[in-house]
Amino acid sequence: MKRLALLLVFVASAAHADDRRYRALDASDMDALSRVLRKHVAFLSVTPKREGPLSPEPRSAYGAVIGPRRLVALAHLVKGADRVTVQGPQGKLTAKLALLDLERRVALLDTDAPLAKIGLVPAKPSTAAWKVDMELFALISTEGEAGVLHTVVTQTGELAEYEGHPRVDVVLNAGMPVFDDRAHLAGYSRVLAWDHDRHMIVPFAKVRAAQTSTTTRAPPPQRDKKPWWAR
């Protein structure tokens, strides 16, 4: 009976944690949200492939954990990578590129060991509908005691010129992931020095679309195995 009571308490606590909404004006909520997001967001050190006599400059990026060994990141920041090092709260792992979709700005990375080994766990994808004034949250940094940045949606991405990319009222760095008020992954910043709009977000729907278009292929045509003289 005691075990059953403990199990019910555990289930109720888990449900409460999943349903919790974080309030931007509550300092304790933001501290709690920071601790949650640090388990979902990784710092990426990207070493590009050498294309000439000079060694290329390494790049920095952020990735969001979406599977036991998988992260999603802004495609242009990991394009042409020779090596990607994933930094978590408890250490580092090496990752390789599993998918690169430059059109959708989606890159998937697979690590050589479970991400739980370095203190990272998958984030749940957000199911919230994009709307103006929707609240989003992002880590200021994965280092030190950096807190959470609060932003709101200014455009939902429905207009043709936005190509399905929502727009927010702040500029985020290096593909930083953004989360809804339940700490569910909503997308990540598409900001780049050359990009035409530094306030846009790559929504998680683009990640789903990239995975589907790459993993779902038409079956190869069936060849006639009869010898030519019998056809």
Side-chain angles (χ1 to χ4, degrees), residues 177-195:
V178 293
F179 298 81
D180 65 18
D181 60 359
R182 293 177 185 260
H184 294 173
L185 180 63
Y188 49 89
S189 168
R190 75 171 210 178
V191 61
L192 289 167
W194 49 263
D195 214 339

Side-chain angles (χ1 to χ4, degrees), residues 19-33:
D19 290 338
R20 177 175 180 175
R21 291 187 181 276
Y22 296 90
R23 297 165 294 175
L25 298 180
D26 189 316
S28 62
D29 268 15
M30 292 299 96
D31 288 342
L33 181 57

Side-chain angles (χ1 to χ4, degrees), residues 1 14 33 59 64-66 88 99 103 139 157 179 199 202 204 210 215:
M1 193 71 180
L33 181 57
R59 301 190 293 263
V65 181
I66 60 172
L99 182 153
E103 181 180 352
L139 286 174
F179 298 81
H199 292 262
V202 179
F204 198 81
T215 58

Side-chain angles (χ1 to χ4, degrees), residues 35-147:
R35 291 191 293 271
V36 171
L37 298 191
R38 286 172 185 272
K39 297 178 181 180
H40 299 323
V41 180
F43 181 78
L44 308 179
S45 298
V46 182
T47 304
K49 293 177 182 177
R50 181 178 295 189
E51 297 179 351
L54 299 177
S55 297
E57 290 293 324
R59 301 190 293 263
S60 297
Y62 293 103
V65 181
I66 60 172
R69 296 184 182 226
R70 175 155 287 189
L71 305 102
V72 62
L74 181 61
H76 296 83
L77 291 178
V78 297
K79 176 187 175 184
D82 182 55
R83 186 176 69 257
V84 179
T85 301
V86 180
Q87 174 76 56
Q90 299 170 17
K92 298 179 181 180
L93 291 174
T94 301
K96 63 181 180 180
L97 194 62
L99 182 153
L100 186 69
D101 189 329
L102 294 176
E103 181 180 352
R104 293 185 178 89
R105 295 175 165 83
V106 173
L108 298 181
L109 303 165
D110 288 341
T111 52
D112 55 2
L115 285 154
K117 185 176 180 180
I118 59 172
L120 293 169
V121 296
K124 289 187 176 181
S126 175
T127 57
W130 290 91
K131 58 184 180 180
V132 173
D133 292 334
M134 173 184 178
E135 293 187 306
L136 295 174
F137 301 89
L139 286 174
I140 295 173
S141 170
T142 56
E143 298 181 339
E145 298 298 323

